Amino acid sequence: CIKILSRDEKKQHDARLSLNDQRIEFYIGDIRDINCVDQVMRNVDFVFNAAALKQVPSCEFFPIEAVKTNVLGCENVLQSAIRNNVEAVVVLSTDKAVYPINAMGQSKALMEKIAVAAARGYGTAHNTKINVTRYGNVIGSRGSVIPMFIQAGKRNEPINVTDMEMTRFLMSLADAVTLVE
């Protein structure tokens, strides 16, 4: 059985219809709510925490919301996984956490530190393996800059780049999936 916890009922509805698989259970909820996380975490072996506020402008305008989801939400997932003896947790991060200059990158960098501290067992011995993986821009994923670049090109508009010196790390969806297998 696969359990999916998300607060996006539209995505869940679409996935339920397109997958049409009774082995997948969908739960509406938010990782910010520890009770919700605890209810879903029962009898789980592996957790992939991809929940995050990922849009740089949204996190800049509402930085406390980035902290609530990316930092405190991740802490809820980790602590619930440990309490429920989950075998392993994979926490997805971003290349923006390396030298964070914005609220999104800063919140993901702090999330990484919390995951590493939990992996060390900071005062709580446990058997849950905790892993962190960093992604760049996954081509074709929701929120990726690539579709924006493609649309600008189709309209013969200039491609806006924040800084000509910046580096973008790109990966295919297949590479992204392989990274967490």
Side-chain angles (χ1 to χ4, degrees):
C1 164
I2 296 173
K3 296 180 179 183
I4 296 176
L5 170 65
S6 170
R7 59 186 185 180
D8 191 332
E9 64 179 331
K10 171 73 167 99
K11 272 199 305 189
Q12 284 197 23
H13 175 73
D14 292 347
R16 187 181 297 109
L17 292 177
S18 68
L19 297 172
N20 193 26
D21 190 329
Q22 299 301 314
R23 297 172 298 172
I24 302 174
E25 298 176 4
F26 294 90
Y27 296 85
I28 298 292
D30 196 323
I31 64 170
R32 296 175 177 200
D33 179 349
I34 188 61
N35 295 320
C36 175
V37 176
D38 280 338
Q39 287 177 357
V40 176
M41 196 69 70
R42 292 187 194 114
N43 302 312
V44 169
D45 297 319
F46 301 97
V47 172
F48 296 87
N49 180 19
L53 291 183
K54 303 173 184 92
Q55 297 294 316
V56 171
S58 296
C59 294
E60 287 299 297
F61 291 130
F62 305 102
I64 193 64
E65 299 304 316
V67 169
K68 287 177 185 176
T69 298
N70 298 352
V71 179
L72 302 176
C74 182
E75 172 72 359
N76 286 343
V77 169
L78 293 170
Q79 291 308 311
S80 183
I82 290 167
R83 277 193 303 278
N84 284 281
N85 297 309
V86 168
E87 186 175 330
V89 177
V90 177
V91 176
L92 279 60
S93 189
T94 174
D95 57 338
K96 292 171 184 66
V98 179
Y99 293 110
I101 60 168
N102 54 51
M104 195 277 274
Q106 291 166 342
S107 67
K108 294 298 265 182
L110 190 52
M111 178 210 68
E112 288 182 9
K113 292 186 181 303
I114 287 169
V116 170
R120 288 188 188 124
Y122 65 95
T124 308
H126 60 80
N127 294 320
T128 301
K129 294 181 181 113
I130 299 170
N131 306 283
V132 178
T133 184
R134 278 190 191 137
Y135 281 78
N137 287 282
V138 178
I139 298 170
S141 68
R142 190 176 77 167
S144 168
V145 72
I146 302 303
M148 182 180 71
F149 287 167
I150 291 170
Q151 289 303 315
K154 286 180 178 177
R155 293 188 303 260
N156 284 333
E157 295 174 351
I159 295 174
N160 294 321
V161 177
T162 308
D163 184 341
M164 295 305 289
E165 299 297 316
M166 69 190 243
T167 301
R168 287 232 179 241
F169 299 95
L170 304 173
M171 61 180 18
S172 70
L173 185 56
D175 289 339
V177 170
T178 301
L179 189 60
V180 295
E181 285 185 321

